[in-house]
Amino acid sequence: MSHQYTDLIDIFNQTFFKSFNTKLELGGDEPIYLPADETVAHHRIIFARGFYASALHEIAHWCVAGPKRRLLEDFGYWYHPDGRSEQVQAEFEKVEIRPQAYEWILSRSAGFPFTVSCDNLSGDFEPDRLAFMAKVHQEVLSILQHGLPERVKMLSQALQSFYQTPELTAEQFEIK
């Protein structure tokens, strides 16, 4: 199955532009979320380098953000760049569990492979990717059990329709 970022842009924008005044857009080296302002009348999720996975990750953060956070650049979230200490990495992973769970759900909905991102390539220690993935996995199972939040559900259904993927089940999510 071919996954073109242009398809994802179209699917996202058709699903959310009218109801949330938000567009997914291709960006450069770094992703960013920009709320509407005096020069651009709509909110923008800008993903990096044309990577489908980057777009899904940024969308997942948008799905986590509530109405007030969606009025702030990058949702007002804390971010510490690559090269984090073990303590800072633990804090990073704690706030990344929910967005990466949403990303995994959206990836499965599109039939696209998912890999957790510990995002600490130049840190002074090796993060435990499998332990982090287990936490994300537990979050996915909880979300599936309690029902997808509105925006995740809307996009999941649109992706399933476009890519002709099956309904989501817990068995589709495996720790690898």
Side-chain angles (χ1 to χ4, degrees), residues 29-169:
D29 288 339
E30 293 297 326
I32 190 166
Y33 172 79
L34 299 171
D37 59 26
E38 56 281 341
T39 60
V40 180
H42 60 272
H43 310 297
R44 294 170 285 157
I45 302 169
I46 301 171
F47 66 99
R49 302 187 189 117
F51 294 140
Y52 196 94
S54 173
L56 287 174
H57 185 79
E58 297 311 311
I59 290 167
H61 276 285
W62 178 78
C63 288
V64 169
K68 290 181 183 176
R69 290 260 187 200
R70 293 194 308 268
L71 298 176
L72 303 173
E73 182 174 316
D74 264 349
F75 315 108
Y77 290 147
W78 163 87
Y79 180 76
H80 194 282
D82 190 358
R84 293 180 284 277
S85 68
E86 191 167 352
Q87 178 184 354
V88 174
Q89 181 67 21
E91 290 299 313
F92 170 81
E93 290 179 8
K94 195 183 313 180
V95 299
E96 278 290 311
I97 292 170
R98 172 65 51 122
Q100 291 203 30
Y102 287 175
E103 181 183 352
W104 198 354
I105 289 166
L106 296 173
S107 294
R108 289 295 309 157
S109 298
F112 187 77
F114 171 78
T115 304
V116 293
S117 174
C118 295
D119 198 22
N120 198 30
L121 299 174
S122 62
D124 59 2
F125 76 102
E126 182 68 31
D128 187 341
R129 192 185 75 73
L130 287 177
F132 179 53
M133 188 160 192
K135 292 174 186 174
V136 174
H137 183 256
Q138 285 303 308
E139 186 72 12
V140 167
L141 297 180
S142 176
I143 293 166
L144 292 175
Q145 181 180 13
H146 294 98
L148 303 181
E150 177 190 11
R151 288 175 285 149
V152 177
K153 183 177 183 178
M154 290 170 67
L155 188 54
S156 175
Q157 290 172 340
L159 292 168
Q160 287 171 331
S161 176
F162 183 85
Y163 291 106
Q164 296 298 294
T165 56
E167 291 285 322
L168 297 176
T169 64

Side-chain angles (χ1 to χ4, degrees), residues 4-23:
Q4 305 298 319
Y5 73 83
T6 52
D7 293 331
L8 186 54
I9 288 172
D10 291 342
I11 294 164
F12 182 91
N13 293 347
Q14 289 168 12
T15 305
F16 296 113
F17 182 61
K18 287 182 183 174
S19 56
F20 287 90
N21 192 37
T22 303
K23 285 188 174 182

